[in-house]
Amino acid sequence: MKKKKLTKIQRDAITGAVLVVAIFIYSLFASDSILDFMSRAVIMMLFASALNIILGFGGLRPLGMSTYFGMGSYAYVLLCVRGGMDRTLAIVGAIVLSMVISLFVNVVCLRANDDLTFAFVSMGINTLLYTMVFKIPYVGSDTGITGNVRLPFANSAAGNFYLSFFVSVVCIVLIYLFFHSPFATVLKGSRDNIERLTFVGMNTVHVRLCACMVSSFFVTIAGILYAMRNMGAFPVMFSTNTSTEGLIMCLIGGMYSFFGPILGAFIVTVISTQLSILTNYYQFVLGLIIVLSVLFLQGGLLRDRAEKDLGEPTAKEAGSK
């Protein structure tokens, strides 16, 4: 009797469940310093997964995604520290403010509906906002703004990790469902052949705008979680280096695979936080990995599986033909 193969969704569900259970079990025995590292790792996994909505599945280069990461962080901290607002209301306020700015920025960036224009206009706006928060004293200038902005039930290192972990898992599951929606199929069509999609009467600008808004929403949540972890907001959260780091995560892990950015986020976080303790040349290691990925693994570490998911032949299959 022939054994029935698992479907892709079933395989992904099993993989995701194993990862979640493994991380949760490990966290039960981890020290506060390890939990702090794990908090950053899961937040970066969410950030990379959200960014990949535009990059891997939308075909655009989001060089300014740290705009919404920083906006979520600064808006939340300012509403809590300067405005004295309740934490829950501050979260809602930060998300609403970030989404309003996201709508304006993305409408401007998508006016030409061109990848290069989108990339550099978004980066230019991001640089402008970074300079503003770096210079304006009200938002802390170059030192940022700090305060106890964690939720009351997540004030400890363990509590903050479990909050970040739970929220990130829920958001990543929602992103996965988004990737398997009919809209995502249209979005992939705009990436692969935008002329054909336009020819059949689809408004590709609106498609990409909706994708950018969804991506910005989850990036904003990642920014709020990061502000809670760091107990403050700092200019680096607005830096284009943060956007570049997210792109590198997707590049290394595999931008055409759902689990690629998650793997890439873990690798980059380990290098930037743990390897940097051991050596001052950790950036050399990261640069070497990027070069090797571009030269030999252009689809990322999860390339073969991603190509199968997209219905494209792997290198092995292409060779056999």
Side-chain angles (χ1 to χ4, degrees):
M1 185 175 179
K2 200 171 183 180
K3 191 175 180 180
K4 187 178 179 181
K5 287 186 178 181
L6 295 174
T7 64
K8 178 183 178 299
I9 294 179
Q10 289 173 331
R11 294 196 310 268
D12 289 344
I14 293 172
T15 302
V18 170
L19 288 173
V20 169
V21 172
I23 294 173
F24 178 76
I25 292 176
Y26 182 75
S27 69
L28 297 176
F29 307 98
S31 62
D32 286 352
S33 60
I34 296 297
L35 287 174
D36 185 64
F37 159 73
M38 293 173 67
S39 296
R40 174 168 176 164
V42 296
I43 293 170
M44 288 298 105
M45 289 176 185
L46 171 58
F47 174 60
S49 297
L51 183 148
N52 200 48
I53 294 175
I54 302 177
L55 177 65
F57 291 82
L60 297 171
R61 273 61 178 176
L63 298 181
M65 285 307 291
S66 57
T67 295
Y68 317 111
F69 191 79
M71 186 58 62
S73 301
Y74 268 89
Y76 174 67
V77 174
L78 285 171
L79 289 174
C80 291
V81 176
R82 301 287 195 217
M85 190 177 290
D86 178 76
R87 303 283 190 271
T88 305
L89 293 177
I91 292 173
V92 176
I95 292 175
V96 170
L97 178 61
S98 181
M99 294 309 295
V100 170
I101 292 175
S102 171
L103 179 61
F104 170 76
V105 171
N106 287 311
V107 166
V108 173
C109 293
L110 289 170
R111 278 180 62 86
N113 200 21
D114 175 71
D115 180 24
L116 193 62
T117 302
F118 177 87
F120 286 101
V121 172
S122 63
M123 185 176 69
I125 295 174
N126 178 231
T127 304
L128 172 65
L129 292 173
Y130 169 74
T131 305
M132 289 175 61
V133 299
F134 196 83
K135 298 292 185 181
I136 299 176
Y138 182 77
V139 296
S141 299
D142 57 331
T143 58
I145 180 171
T146 59
N148 186 5
V149 294
R150 292 181 177 178
L151 298 177
F153 60 85
N155 220 5
S156 63
N160 183 68
F161 164 72
Y162 289 119
L163 174 65
S164 301
F165 180 58
F166 175 76
V167 173
S168 297
V169 168
V170 171
C171 289
I172 290 173
V173 169
L174 292 176
I175 292 173
Y176 181 84
L177 296 176
F178 174 80
F179 280 161
H180 289 80
S181 66
F183 177 83
T185 304
V186 177
L187 180 61
K188 293 175 187 177
S190 70
R191 175 199 65 195
D192 297 332
N193 196 328
I194 192 170
E195 290 81 8
R196 179 176 294 180
L197 207 61
T198 304
F199 181 76
V200 299
M202 189 69 65
N203 191 325
T204 55
V205 175
H206 289 174
V207 170
R208 287 178 162 179
L209 178 60
C210 289
C212 289
M213 294 297 292
V214 173
S215 178
S216 303
F217 172 77
F218 288 112
V219 169
T220 299
I221 294 178
I224 295 172
L225 292 175
Y226 203 63
M228 291 181 182
R229 171 190 176 269
N230 293 337
M231 306 228 347
F234 307 95
V236 69
M237 296 175 178
F238 263 114
S239 173
T240 52
N241 290 338
T242 302
S243 299
T244 305
E245 192 174 79
L247 294 174
I248 292 171
M249 293 171 185
C250 297
L251 172 67
I252 294 174
M255 67 180 71
Y256 300 124
S257 170
F258 175 78
F259 289 104
I262 295 174
L263 175 61
F266 178 75
I267 293 173
V268 172
T269 304
V270 169
I271 293 174
S272 59
T273 61
Q274 302 302 307
L275 189 60
S276 61
I277 299 174
L278 302 176
T279 176
N280 292 328
Y281 300 101
Y282 68 96
Q283 290 182 325
F284 171 82
V285 177
L286 181 60
L288 181 62
I289 293 175
I290 295 171
V291 171
L292 293 176
S293 297
V294 172
L295 292 178
F296 303 107
L297 286 172
Q298 295 184 4
L301 294 173
L302 300 183
R303 175 185 179 185
D304 287 345
R305 182 174 181 179
E307 289 176 343
K308 288 179 182 179
D309 293 344
L310 291 171
E312 300 172 2
T314 62
K316 183 177 180 181
E317 291 169 343
S320 62
K321 290 181 182 180

PDB file of all heavy atoms in Angstrom, residues 2-32:
ATOM      1  N   LYS A   2       0.586   2.168  -0.917  1.00  0.00           N
ATOM      2  CA  LYS A   2       1.406   3.359  -1.046  1.00  0.00           C
ATOM      3  C   LYS A   2       1.128   4.326   0.097  1.00  0.00           C
ATOM      4  O   LYS A   2      -0.019   4.623   0.421  1.00  0.00           O
ATOM      5  CB  LYS A   2       1.096   4.034  -2.382  1.00  0.00           C
ATOM      6  CG  LYS A   2       2.193   4.965  -2.836  1.00  0.00           C
ATOM      7  CD  LYS A   2       1.928   5.418  -4.253  1.00  0.00           C
ATOM      8  CE  LYS A   2       3.070   6.289  -4.739  1.00  0.00           C
ATOM      9  NZ  LYS A   2       2.824   6.736  -6.119  1.00  0.00           N
ATOM     10  N   LYS A   3       2.221   4.793   0.705  1.00  0.00           N
ATOM     11  CA  LYS A   3       2.089   5.714   1.830  1.00  0.00           C
ATOM     12  C   LYS A   3       1.707   7.095   1.328  1.00  0.00           C
ATOM     13  O   LYS A   3       2.311   7.626   0.393  1.00  0.00           O
ATOM     14  CB  LYS A   3       3.408   5.777   2.594  1.00  0.00           C
ATOM     15  CG  LYS A   3       3.296   6.506   3.915  1.00  0.00           C
ATOM     16  CD  LYS A   3       4.604   6.427   4.671  1.00  0.00           C
ATOM     17  CE  LYS A   3       4.476   7.166   5.995  1.00  0.00           C
ATOM     18  NZ  LYS A   3       5.759   7.106   6.756  1.00  0.00           N
ATOM     19  N   LYS A   4       0.717   7.684   1.963  1.00  0.00           N
ATOM     20  CA  LYS A   4       0.236   9.001   1.554  1.00  0.00           C
ATOM     21  C   LYS A   4       1.212  10.077   2.008  1.00  0.00           C
ATOM     22  O   LYS A   4       1.608  10.132   3.168  1.00  0.00           O
ATOM     23  CB  LYS A   4      -1.151   9.253   2.156  1.00  0.00           C
ATOM     24  CG  LYS A   4      -1.800  10.538   1.648  1.00  0.00           C
ATOM     25  CD  LYS A   4      -3.172  10.710   2.230  1.00  0.00           C
ATOM     26  CE  LYS A   4      -3.805  11.996   1.733  1.00  0.00           C
ATOM     27  NZ  LYS A   4      -5.152  12.195   2.317  1.00  0.00           N
ATOM     28  N   LYS A   5       1.589  10.942   1.061  1.00  0.00           N
ATOM     29  CA  LYS A   5       2.515  12.026   1.385  1.00  0.00           C
ATOM     30  C   LYS A   5       1.785  13.171   2.073  1.00  0.00           C
ATOM     31  O   LYS A   5       0.615  13.443   1.801  1.00  0.00           O
ATOM     32  CB  LYS A   5       3.182  12.536   0.104  1.00  0.00           C
ATOM     33  CG  LYS A   5       4.225  11.595  -0.464  1.00  0.00           C
ATOM     34  CD  LYS A   5       4.926  12.259  -1.636  1.00  0.00           C
ATOM     35  CE  LYS A   5       6.021  11.355  -2.184  1.00  0.00           C
ATOM     36  NZ  LYS A   5       6.728  12.004  -3.316  1.00  0.00           N
ATOM     37  N   LEU A   6       2.538  13.833   2.945  1.00  0.00           N
ATOM     38  CA  LEU A   6       1.981  15.010   3.610  1.00  0.00           C
ATOM     39  C   LEU A   6       1.932  16.176   2.637  1.00  0.00           C
ATOM     40  O   LEU A   6       2.809  16.329   1.782  1.00  0.00           O
ATOM     41  CB  LEU A   6       2.840  15.387   4.819  1.00  0.00           C
ATOM     42  CG  LEU A   6       2.889  14.390   5.977  1.00  0.00           C
ATOM     43  CD1 LEU A   6       3.892  14.851   7.020  1.00  0.00           C
ATOM     44  CD2 LEU A   6       1.517  14.217   6.615  1.00  0.00           C
ATOM     45  N   THR A   7       0.909  16.994   2.757  1.00  0.00           N
ATOM     46  CA  THR A   7       0.830  18.188   1.925  1.00  0.00           C
ATOM     47  C   THR A   7       1.826  19.232   2.446  1.00  0.00           C
ATOM     48  O   THR A   7       2.373  19.105   3.552  1.00  0.00           O
ATOM     49  CB  THR A   7      -0.584  18.781   1.968  1.00  0.00           C
ATOM     50  OG1 THR A   7      -0.875  19.223   3.307  1.00  0.00           O
ATOM     51  CG2 THR A   7      -1.614  17.752   1.541  1.00  0.00           C
ATOM     52  N   LYS A   8       2.050  20.257   1.639  1.00  0.00           N
ATOM     53  CA  LYS A   8       2.993  21.310   2.025  1.00  0.00           C
ATOM     54  C   LYS A   8       2.540  22.005   3.312  1.00  0.00           C
ATOM     55  O   LYS A   8       3.351  22.294   4.201  1.00  0.00           O
ATOM     56  CB  LYS A   8       3.123  22.334   0.898  1.00  0.00           C
ATOM     57  CG  LYS A   8       4.065  23.484   1.250  1.00  0.00           C
ATOM     58  CD  LYS A   8       4.104  24.507   0.159  1.00  0.00           C
ATOM     59  CE  LYS A   8       5.005  25.661   0.557  1.00  0.00           C
ATOM     60  NZ  LYS A   8       4.538  26.358   1.773  1.00  0.00           N
ATOM     61  N   ILE A   9       1.248  22.286   3.411  1.00  0.00           N
ATOM     62  CA  ILE A   9       0.736  22.963   4.602  1.00  0.00           C
ATOM     63  C   ILE A   9       0.919  22.084   5.836  1.00  0.00           C
ATOM     64  O   ILE A   9       1.282  22.574   6.915  1.00  0.00           O
ATOM     65  CB  ILE A   9      -0.753  23.332   4.412  1.00  0.00           C
ATOM     66  CG1 ILE A   9      -0.893  24.390   3.309  1.00  0.00           C
ATOM     67  CG2 ILE A   9      -1.359  23.836   5.715  1.00  0.00           C
ATOM     68  CD1 ILE A   9      -2.314  24.804   3.035  1.00  0.00           C
ATOM     69  N   GLN A  10       0.702  20.792   5.689  1.00  0.00           N
ATOM     70  CA  GLN A  10       0.905  19.882   6.816  1.00  0.00           C
ATOM     71  C   GLN A  10       2.375  19.820   7.223  1.00  0.00           C
ATOM     72  O   GLN A  10       2.701  19.823   8.414  1.00  0.00           O
ATOM     73  CB  GLN A  10       0.401  18.479   6.447  1.00  0.00           C
ATOM     74  CG  GLN A  10      -1.111  18.379   6.342  1.00  0.00           C
ATOM     75  CD  GLN A  10      -1.570  17.029   5.823  1.00  0.00           C
ATOM     76  OE1 GLN A  10      -0.853  16.358   5.056  1.00  0.00           O
ATOM     77  NE2 GLN A  10      -2.765  16.614   6.214  1.00  0.00           N
ATOM     78  N   ARG A  11       3.278  19.789   6.242  1.00  0.00           N
ATOM     79  CA  ARG A  11       4.707  19.792   6.546  1.00  0.00           C
ATOM     80  C   ARG A  11       5.116  21.076   7.253  1.00  0.00           C
ATOM     81  O   ARG A  11       5.871  21.061   8.224  1.00  0.00           O
ATOM     82  CB  ARG A  11       5.538  19.623   5.269  1.00  0.00           C
ATOM     83  CG  ARG A  11       5.396  18.282   4.573  1.00  0.00           C
ATOM     84  CD  ARG A  11       6.533  18.073   3.576  1.00  0.00           C
ATOM     85  NE  ARG A  11       6.701  19.215   2.696  1.00  0.00           N
ATOM     86  CZ  ARG A  11       6.107  19.350   1.510  1.00  0.00           C
ATOM     87  NH1 ARG A  11       5.264  18.411   1.091  1.00  0.00           N
ATOM     88  NH2 ARG A  11       6.342  20.405   0.759  1.00  0.00           N
ATOM     89  N   ASP A  12       4.606  22.198   6.758  1.00  0.00           N
ATOM     90  CA  ASP A  12       4.934  23.487   7.371  1.00  0.00           C
ATOM     91  C   ASP A  12       4.392  23.581   8.795  1.00  0.00           C
ATOM     92  O   ASP A  12       5.042  24.121   9.693  1.00  0.00           O
ATOM     93  CB  ASP A  12       4.368  24.625   6.530  1.00  0.00           C
ATOM     94  CG  ASP A  12       5.118  24.790   5.213  1.00  0.00           C
ATOM     95  OD1 ASP A  12       6.234  24.235   5.098  1.00  0.00           O
ATOM     96  OD2 ASP A  12       4.581  25.449   4.305  1.00  0.00           O
ATOM     97  N   ALA A  13       3.171  23.044   8.995  1.00  0.00           N
ATOM     98  CA  ALA A  13       2.568  23.071  10.326  1.00  0.00           C
ATOM     99  C   ALA A  13       3.389  22.248  11.317  1.00  0.00           C
ATOM    100  O   ALA A  13       3.614  22.672  12.462  1.00  0.00           O
ATOM    101  CB  ALA A  13       1.137  22.555  10.263  1.00  0.00           C
ATOM    102  N   ILE A  14       3.860  21.083  10.874  1.00  0.00           N
ATOM    103  CA  ILE A  14       4.676  20.232  11.744  1.00  0.00           C
ATOM    104  C   ILE A  14       6.009  20.912  12.055  1.00  0.00           C
ATOM    105  O   ILE A  14       6.459  20.941  13.207  1.00  0.00           O
ATOM    106  CB  ILE A  14       4.909  18.860  11.088  1.00  0.00           C
ATOM    107  CG1 ILE A  14       3.588  18.092  10.994  1.00  0.00           C
ATOM    108  CG2 ILE A  14       5.938  18.050  11.863  1.00  0.00           C
ATOM    109  CD1 ILE A  14       3.676  16.809  10.203  1.00  0.00           C
ATOM    110  N   THR A  15       6.644  21.485  11.020  1.00  0.00           N
ATOM    111  CA  THR A  15       7.915  22.185  11.217  1.00  0.00           C
ATOM    112  C   THR A  15       7.757  23.354  12.187  1.00  0.00           C
ATOM    113  O   THR A  15       8.557  23.539  13.109  1.00  0.00           O
ATOM    114  CB  THR A  15       8.451  22.708   9.877  1.00  0.00           C
ATOM    115  OG1 THR A  15       8.605  21.615   8.962  1.00  0.00           O
ATOM    116  CG2 THR A  15       9.794  23.396  10.057  1.00  0.00           C
ATOM    117  N   GLY A  16       6.708  24.138  11.971  1.00  0.00           N
ATOM    118  CA  GLY A  16       6.472  25.280  12.850  1.00  0.00           C
ATOM    119  C   GLY A  16       6.182  24.860  14.275  1.00  0.00           C
ATOM    120  O   GLY A  16       6.684  25.471  15.224  1.00  0.00           O
ATOM    121  N   ALA A  17       5.378  23.811  14.447  1.00  0.00           N
ATOM    122  CA  ALA A  17       5.044  23.333  15.788  1.00  0.00           C
ATOM    123  C   ALA A  17       6.284  22.831  16.526  1.00  0.00           C
ATOM    124  O   ALA A  17       6.469  23.099  17.723  1.00  0.00           O
ATOM    125  CB  ALA A  17       3.997  22.228  15.705  1.00  0.00           C
ATOM    126  N   VAL A  18       7.152  22.117  15.799  1.00  0.00           N
ATOM    127  CA  VAL A  18       8.389  21.612  16.417  1.00  0.00           C
ATOM    128  C   VAL A  18       9.273  22.769  16.861  1.00  0.00           C
ATOM    129  O   VAL A  18       9.841  22.757  17.968  1.00  0.00           O
ATOM    130  CB  VAL A  18       9.144  20.694  15.429  1.00  0.00           C
ATOM    131  CG1 VAL A  18      10.542  20.373  15.957  1.00  0.00           C
ATOM    132  CG2 VAL A  18       8.363  19.407  15.200  1.00  0.00           C
ATOM    133  N   LEU A  19       9.404  23.796  16.015  1.00  0.00           N
ATOM    134  CA  LEU A  19      10.223  24.958  16.367  1.00  0.00           C
ATOM    135  C   LEU A  19       9.672  25.677  17.592  1.00  0.00           C
ATOM    136  O   LEU A  19      10.420  26.041  18.505  1.00  0.00           O
ATOM    137  CB  LEU A  19      10.291  25.928  15.182  1.00  0.00           C
ATOM    138  CG  LEU A  19      11.142  25.493  13.978  1.00  0.00           C
ATOM    139  CD1 LEU A  19      10.975  26.474  12.835  1.00  0.00           C
ATOM    140  CD2 LEU A  19      12.600  25.393  14.383  1.00  0.00           C
ATOM    141  N   VAL A  20       8.360  25.892  17.612  1.00  0.00           N
ATOM    142  CA  VAL A  20       7.736  26.595  18.733  1.00  0.00           C
ATOM    143  C   VAL A  20       7.916  25.817  20.035  1.00  0.00           C
ATOM    144  O   VAL A  20       8.299  26.390  21.072  1.00  0.00           O
ATOM    145  CB  VAL A  20       6.229  26.826  18.448  1.00  0.00           C
ATOM    146  CG1 VAL A  20       5.517  27.315  19.707  1.00  0.00           C
ATOM    147  CG2 VAL A  20       6.056  27.831  17.317  1.00  0.00           C
ATOM    148  N   VAL A  21       7.676  24.518  19.999  1.00  0.00           N
ATOM    149  CA  VAL A  21       7.817  23.693  21.205  1.00  0.00           C
ATOM    150  C   VAL A  21       9.267  23.659  21.665  1.00  0.00           C
ATOM    151  O   VAL A  21       9.563  23.762  22.868  1.00  0.00           O
ATOM    152  CB  VAL A  21       7.295  22.263  20.943  1.00  0.00           C
ATOM    153  CG1 VAL A  21       7.623  21.350  22.118  1.00  0.00           C
ATOM    154  CG2 VAL A  21       5.788  22.289  20.703  1.00  0.00           C
ATOM    155  N   ALA A  22      10.209  23.541  20.712  1.00  0.00           N
ATOM    156  CA  ALA A  22      11.627  23.484  21.063  1.00  0.00           C
ATOM    157  C   ALA A  22      12.081  24.778  21.730  1.00  0.00           C
ATOM    158  O   ALA A  22      12.784  24.755  22.748  1.00  0.00           O
ATOM    159  CB  ALA A  22      12.462  23.205  19.818  1.00  0.00           C
ATOM    160  N   ILE A  23      11.678  25.912  21.165  1.00  0.00           N
ATOM    161  CA  ILE A  23      12.061  27.206  21.744  1.00  0.00           C
ATOM    162  C   ILE A  23      11.442  27.378  23.127  1.00  0.00           C
ATOM    163  O   ILE A  23      12.094  27.842  24.071  1.00  0.00           O
ATOM    164  CB  ILE A  23      11.634  28.362  20.817  1.00  0.00           C
ATOM    165  CG1 ILE A  23      12.423  28.311  19.503  1.00  0.00           C
ATOM    166  CG2 ILE A  23      11.825  29.708  21.497  1.00  0.00           C
ATOM    167  CD1 ILE A  23      11.953  29.306  18.470  1.00  0.00           C
ATOM    168  N   PHE A  24      10.187  26.980  23.255  1.00  0.00           N
ATOM    169  CA  PHE A  24       9.502  27.130  24.544  1.00  0.00           C
ATOM    170  C   PHE A  24      10.158  26.265  25.626  1.00  0.00           C
ATOM    171  O   PHE A  24      10.399  26.730  26.748  1.00  0.00           O
ATOM    172  CB  PHE A  24       8.029  26.760  24.398  1.00  0.00           C
ATOM    173  CG  PHE A  24       7.257  26.830  25.689  1.00  0.00           C
ATOM    174  CD1 PHE A  24       6.881  28.053  26.219  1.00  0.00           C
ATOM    175  CD2 PHE A  24       6.928  25.675  26.389  1.00  0.00           C
ATOM    176  CE1 PHE A  24       6.172  28.125  27.413  1.00  0.00           C
ATOM    177  CE2 PHE A  24       6.233  25.733  27.585  1.00  0.00           C
ATOM    178  CZ  PHE A  24       5.856  26.962  28.098  1.00  0.00           C
ATOM    179  N   ILE A  25      10.461  25.014  25.303  1.00  0.00           N
ATOM    180  CA  ILE A  25      11.082  24.115  26.284  1.00  0.00           C
ATOM    181  C   ILE A  25      12.465  24.644  26.686  1.00  0.00           C
ATOM    182  O   ILE A  25      12.825  24.650  27.869  1.00  0.00           O
ATOM    183  CB  ILE A  25      11.182  22.688  25.725  1.00  0.00           C
ATOM    184  CG1 ILE A  25       9.773  22.092  25.575  1.00  0.00           C
ATOM    185  CG2 ILE A  25      12.029  21.800  26.623  1.00  0.00           C
ATOM    186  CD1 ILE A  25       9.752  20.719  24.943  1.00  0.00           C
ATOM    187  N   TYR A  26      13.229  25.107  25.697  1.00  0.00           N
ATOM    188  CA  TYR A  26      14.566  25.633  26.002  1.00  0.00           C
ATOM    189  C   TYR A  26      14.478  26.860  26.899  1.00  0.00           C
ATOM    190  O   TYR A  26      15.324  27.061  27.783  1.00  0.00           O
ATOM    191  CB  TYR A  26      15.298  25.973  24.703  1.00  0.00           C
ATOM    192  CG  TYR A  26      16.703  26.478  24.926  1.00  0.00           C
ATOM    193  CD1 TYR A  26      17.722  25.603  25.279  1.00  0.00           C
ATOM    194  CD2 TYR A  26      17.005  27.833  24.798  1.00  0.00           C
ATOM    195  CE1 TYR A  26      19.008  26.057  25.493  1.00  0.00           C
ATOM    196  CE2 TYR A  26      18.287  28.300  25.014  1.00  0.00           C
ATOM    197  CZ  TYR A  26      19.291  27.400  25.359  1.00  0.00           C
ATOM    198  OH  TYR A  26      20.559  27.861  25.590  1.00  0.00           O
ATOM    199  N   SER A  27      13.458  27.695  26.676  1.00  0.00           N
ATOM    200  CA  SER A  27      13.322  28.917  27.468  1.00  0.00           C
ATOM    201  C   SER A  27      13.047  28.628  28.947  1.00  0.00           C
ATOM    202  O   SER A  27      13.355  29.457  29.806  1.00  0.00           O
ATOM    203  CB  SER A  27      12.193  29.778  26.901  1.00  0.00           C
ATOM    204  OG  SER A  27      10.924  29.167  27.119  1.00  0.00           O
ATOM    205  N   LEU A  28      12.472  27.478  29.240  1.00  0.00           N
ATOM    206  CA  LEU A  28      12.160  27.135  30.629  1.00  0.00           C
ATOM    207  C   LEU A  28      13.413  26.970  31.479  1.00  0.00           C
ATOM    208  O   LEU A  28      13.369  27.122  32.705  1.00  0.00           O
ATOM    209  CB  LEU A  28      11.325  25.846  30.676  1.00  0.00           C
ATOM    210  CG  LEU A  28       9.951  25.899  30.008  1.00  0.00           C
ATOM    211  CD1 LEU A  28       9.291  24.531  30.047  1.00  0.00           C
ATOM    212  CD2 LEU A  28       9.058  26.940  30.683  1.00  0.00           C
ATOM    213  N   PHE A  29      14.534  26.658  30.827  1.00  0.00           N
ATOM    214  CA  PHE A  29      15.785  26.411  31.553  1.00  0.00           C
ATOM    215  C   PHE A  29      16.842  27.487  31.277  1.00  0.00           C
ATOM    216  O   PHE A  29      17.979  27.357  31.724  1.00  0.00           O
ATOM    217  CB  PHE A  29      16.349  25.039  31.163  1.00  0.00           C
ATOM    218  CG  PHE A  29      15.360  23.916  31.319  1.00  0.00           C
ATOM    219  CD1 PHE A  29      14.639  23.448  30.228  1.00  0.00           C
ATOM    220  CD2 PHE A  29      15.125  23.340  32.567  1.00  0.00           C
ATOM    221  CE1 PHE A  29      13.715  22.420  30.375  1.00  0.00           C
ATOM    222  CE2 PHE A  29      14.202  22.315  32.713  1.00  0.00           C
ATOM    223  CZ  PHE A  29      13.496  21.851  31.619  1.00  0.00           C
ATOM    224  N   ALA A  30      16.465  28.534  30.546  1.00  0.00           N
ATOM    225  CA  ALA A  30      17.426  29.562  30.143  1.00  0.00           C
ATOM    226  C   ALA A  30      17.572  30.638  31.212  1.00  0.00           C
ATOM    227  O   ALA A  30      16.631  30.938  31.962  1.00  0.00           O
ATOM    228  CB  ALA A  30      16.990  30.195  28.824  1.00  0.00           C
ATOM    229  N   SER A  31      18.756  31.241  31.261  1.00  0.00           N
ATOM    230  CA  SER A  31      19.016  32.346  32.181  1.00  0.00           C
ATOM    231  C   SER A  31      18.424  33.634  31.617  1.00  0.00           C
ATOM    232  O   SER A  31      17.975  33.682  30.466  1.00  0.00           O
ATOM    233  CB  SER A  31      20.520  32.520  32.389  1.00  0.00           C
ATOM    234  OG  SER A  31      21.146  32.847  31.154  1.00  0.00           O
ATOM    235  N   ASP A  32      18.433  34.699  32.411  1.00  0.00           N
ATOM    236  CA  ASP A  32      17.871  35.972  31.965  1.00  0.00           C
ATOM    237  C   ASP A  32      18.605  36.523  30.750  1.00  0.00           C
ATOM    238  O   ASP A  32      17.987  37.102  29.844  1.00  0.00           O
ATOM    239  CB  ASP A  32      17.923  36.997  33.103  1.00  0.00           C
ATOM    240  CG  ASP A  32      16.877  36.716  34.175  1.00  0.00           C
ATOM    241  OD1 ASP A  32      16.033  35.832  33.966  1.00  0.00           O
ATOM    242  OD2 ASP A  32      16.918  37.383  35.232  1.00  0.00           O
TER     243      ASP A  32
END
